[in-house]
Amino acid sequence: MVEDGRVTGVETSKGALPADAVIATPALPISWSWLEPHVSTNYVAQLRKVEYLANVCLVLELDRSLSETYWLNVNDPGFPFVGVIEHTNFEPAETYGGRHIVYLSKYLPESAELYQMGNNEVLEYCIPYLQRMFPEFNRSWIQGSHVWRARYSQPIVARHYSGLIPAMETPVEGLYLATMAQIYPRTGGTNYAIREGRRVAQAVAAVLDGREQIAQTAHGGARNA
Ligand SMILES: Cc1cc2nc3c(=O)[nH]c(=O)nc-3n(C[C@H](O)[C@H](O)[C@H](O)COP(=O)(O)OP(=O)(O)OC[C@H]3O[C@@H](n4cnc5c(N)ncnc54)[C@H](O)[C@@H]3O)c2cc1C
C-alpha cells in the first residue's frame, strides 16, 4: 500500500497490515507489477532489463533408493537435467514415511518445450533418461510424482550485469528490495538470500531507528540504548 509516494503497509489475504517499512523479496517482475503505478516508467524499464530463466523440478517418491549419491551434477548434454538429487541420501527416508525422494532440476527459458509440458508428460519424458543413467531403475518404483515450475527462478547475469542491479532503496519511500537479482557476483543460493535479507533488514532497522531518534529528540525524550 502506497500513499503520497510513501509505503503505508501490505495488503494480505487476511486484510491490510500497516507498516512503516516494507521489504519486497519476490522476483523483480512480480514486484514491478505492483510498483508500476507508483514509480516512473524509467525505473520500471530499468528493472525490466533483468531477465530470468524458469525452472522445472520433477520430484519422485520411490519405494527404494536410486543410488548412494546425494547430489549428482550432470554435464552430459544428452541428459536434459542439470542434476539428479536423491534428497533421502541426506535426510533419512523415514522422515518421508519410508519413501525415497529424488528430484531432477532444469533451468530453462519459459518458451522451452519441457516448461510447457503437462505434469504427466514431464514424468514420461524423464523416465527413459533415468533408465539410461540407472539401468536397474523401473517405473514400478515410482509411488508418486510432483512437478514444480517457477517462472522467475534465476536472474540471467548478462554482460555489464553489475550496472543493472537495482538498489535496495526504491523511489517509494519506505519500500526496499531484497531479491536474488541483487546477489552478485555470486549466483543465487539460500545462504546468499539469508545474507542479503539480513543486510537489508539491518539497513531498514537503522533508518527506522534514526527516525525514532529524531522524533524523540524533537519531543525532548531520551532514548534507551
Ligand atoms: C530447483 C532449485 C534448486 C535449488 N537448490 C538450491 C540448493 O540446493 N542450495 C541453495 O543454496 N540454493 C538452491 N536454490 C536457490 C534457492 O532456492 C534460492 O536462492 C533462494 O530460495 C532464494 O531465496 P529468496 O527468499 O530470495 O526467494 P524465494 O525462496 O523464491 O522466495 C520468494 C517468495 O516470495 C513469494 N512471493 C511471490 N510472489 C509474491 C507476492 N506477490 N506476494 C508475496 N509473496 C510472494 C514466493 O512464493 C516465495 O515464497 C535452488 C533453486 C531452485 C529453483
Side-chain angles (χ1 to χ4, degrees):
M1 288 144 50
V2 178
E3 268 175 46
D4 301 327
R6 145 150 268 299
V7 83
T8 55
V10 182
E11 292 253 358
T12 76
S13 55
K14 294 193 175 143
L17 280 177
D20 291 328
V22 172
I23 303 173
T25 62
L28 292 178
I30 296 170
S31 295
W32 82 51
S33 62
W34 39 260
L35 259 177
E36 217 158 358
H38 308 290
V39 295
S40 72
T41 45
N42 275 355
Y43 182 73
V44 173
Q46 186 64 15
L47 294 186
R48 274 181 193 275
K49 287 183 185 163
V50 177
E51 293 181 42
Y52 284 76
L53 282 175
N55 182 278
V56 173
C57 204
L58 171 68
V59 181
L60 297 174
E61 298 177 32
L62 304 180
D63 65 1
R64 67 199 79 179
S65 174
L66 196 56
S67 81
E68 289 182 348
T69 307
Y70 162 51
W71 190 291
L72 185 61
N73 282 331
V74 185
N75 289 321
D76 178 347
F79 188 83
F81 289 88
V82 292
V84 180
I85 295 104
E86 186 160 346
H87 173 67
T88 36
N89 281 339
F90 183 75
E91 174 76 16
E94 289 71 54
T95 309
Y96 301 92
R99 298 259 166 107
H100 296 258
I101 310 295
V102 173
Y103 73 87
L104 306 165
S105 163
K106 170 87 170 172
Y107 291 91
L108 69 191
E110 184 189 16
S111 56
E113 206 184 332
L114 180 57
Y115 191 74
Q116 305 293 338
M117 285 180 189
N119 293 359
N120 241 354
E121 273 181 288
V122 173
L123 176 64
E124 291 303 324
Y125 174 77
C126 293
I127 287 173
Y129 291 104
L130 276 177
Q131 274 163 339
R132 193 173 60 146
M133 188 174 278
F134 305 98
E136 307 83 51
F137 170 73
N138 189 291
R139 65 185 304 142
S140 65
W141 298 6
I142 303 173
Q143 306 298 303
S145 69
H146 312 268
V147 178
W148 299 89
R149 295 175 192 79
R151 168 60 193 93
Y152 304 111
S153 229
Q154 174 63 52
I156 299 174
V157 179
R159 283 186 75 211
H160 308 303
Y161 184 78
S162 57
L164 299 181
I165 300 171
M168 154 175 92
E169 295 85 4
T170 70
V172 175
E173 199 190 333
L175 178 64
Y176 301 84
L177 296 178
T179 82
M180 223 200 292
Q182 289 152 295
I183 292 165
Y184 180 81
R186 309 278 181 196
T187 183
T190 309
N191 47 339
Y192 299 117
I194 292 169
R195 185 194 65 186
E196 190 65 14
R198 283 195 175 137
R199 187 179 74 85
V200 177
Q202 278 162 3
V204 173
V207 170
L208 293 178
D209 208 26
R211 207 187 295 151
E212 195 179 301
Q213 273 188 45
I214 292 165
Q216 283 179 347
T217 310
H219 292 97
R223 183 176 168 273
N224 293 327

